[in-house]
Structures are given as structure tokens and as C-alpha cells.
Amino acid sequence: MTDRIHGNARLRRQSGTISLVAMLLVLPMADAFAQAAPIVYPGAGQSMEQQAQDENTCRNWATQQTGIYPYQSAPASYGSSPGAPVLSGAARGAALGAVGGAIAGDAGQGAAIGAGVGATAGLLRKNRERRQQAQANDQAQAQYQADMGRYNQAFAACMQGRGYTVR
């Protein structure tokens, strides 16, 4: 009986994990759908060839008006800063602690304390850098979406001026 109960609990945990993974995979695609190009319908019986020509003309016009190139990829996330420090925070702290401890008479204890302080300082610095990178990513993504909105608006105005219905 207990095997059955534990098996059901394990199955529920696995189902929850699968649901979470599926949701995390779908969320990034929502942005792609939000910035999809406008859908154009012929409003005055235009042929497919005429619509293709008009769309090309309006894409060029929208690019000239906005300075936005719609086929340029969205901004990539910023990576970590180039180059690694020679010594990590813990190593620097241990080195300084060992020197201080040697002066005070216990290099080993000084190194251990210094390593802990250095590691904490290093983590704080990394967290601050990650927050700054996330903020820069958010700003770049917001700017990209605003630019694409302006481009799509210009494209739609051009196509509507040529007798098309744009959604």
C-alpha cells in the first residue's frame, strides 16, 4: 500500500515538473507571436502577384520611414563580461587573510576568514552584475518591441493606403 502511495506522489511530482518545463518552453514563444507581422488581405481584388509587389514596396517604405530592419534578429541576451579575474574573491580573500594572519600569528585562520569574506564579496559582485545584465536585456527587448511596433504600424498604413485590409 505504501509503495502505491509513494508511487502516486512521485507521479504527481513528475507531472508538475513536466508542466513547469512545458510552460517555460511556451512563454518565450509568446513574444514571437506578439511581434508577428501584420496579416494582409486583398481588399479590392488584387492578385497574389500584385499583393507581393505591394508588400515589398511597403516593407521598403516602412524601413525608410522608421529605420527599422524587421528581419534583423531580436537582441540576444548579454553574456558575462569578457575575461576572468586572475584570482576569485575567495582566493584573494584567502591570500590577504593569510598575510594578515601571518602578521597576527595564525596564517591558517586568517586565510580561512579571508576566503569566506572574499567568497561573499565575489558572490555579491556577481549578483549585482547579473541584475545589471538582466536590466540591460529587458531594456533592449522593450526597445526592440517598440521599434517593431512602429515598423508594423508604418507597413500597415502603407498597405491600407493601397486598398488592403490589415489585421
Side-chain angles (χ1 to χ4, degrees), residues 77-159:
S77 64
Y78 294 94
S80 58
S81 58
V86 176
L87 290 176
S88 71
R92 278 193 303 265
L96 291 174
V99 170
I103 293 170
D106 189 356
Q109 185 179 8
I113 293 170
V117 170
T120 302
L123 287 174
L124 292 174
R125 182 179 45 78
K126 281 290 189 190
N127 286 339
R128 183 178 60 246
E129 289 172 0
R130 286 184 185 125
R131 282 193 307 272
Q132 290 171 344
Q133 289 173 351
Q135 184 178 19
N137 289 342
D138 290 346
Q139 289 173 347
Q141 188 64 33
Q143 183 63 49
Y144 173 78
Q145 293 204 0
D147 290 345
M148 286 306 298
R150 286 186 310 126
Y151 172 86
N152 287 339
Q153 190 174 23
F155 174 77
C158 178
M159 291 300 287

Side-chain angles (χ1 to χ4, degrees), residues 32-118:
F33 291 123
Q35 288 302 319
I39 299 172
V40 179
Y41 302 98
Q46 296 96 332
S47 69
M48 288 179 64
E49 293 81 20
Q50 182 62 47
Q51 183 175 344
Q53 288 175 348
D54 290 340
E55 284 184 9
N56 188 42
T57 300
C58 286
R59 277 190 205 98
N60 290 335
W61 183 81
T63 296
Q64 289 172 353
Q65 295 302 307
T66 63
I68 306 302
Y69 296 92
Y71 300 108
Q72 182 176 335
S73 62
S77 64
Y78 294 94
S80 58
S81 58
V86 176
L87 290 176
S88 71
R92 278 193 303 265
L96 291 174
V99 170
I103 293 170
D106 189 356
Q109 185 179 8
I113 293 170
V117 170

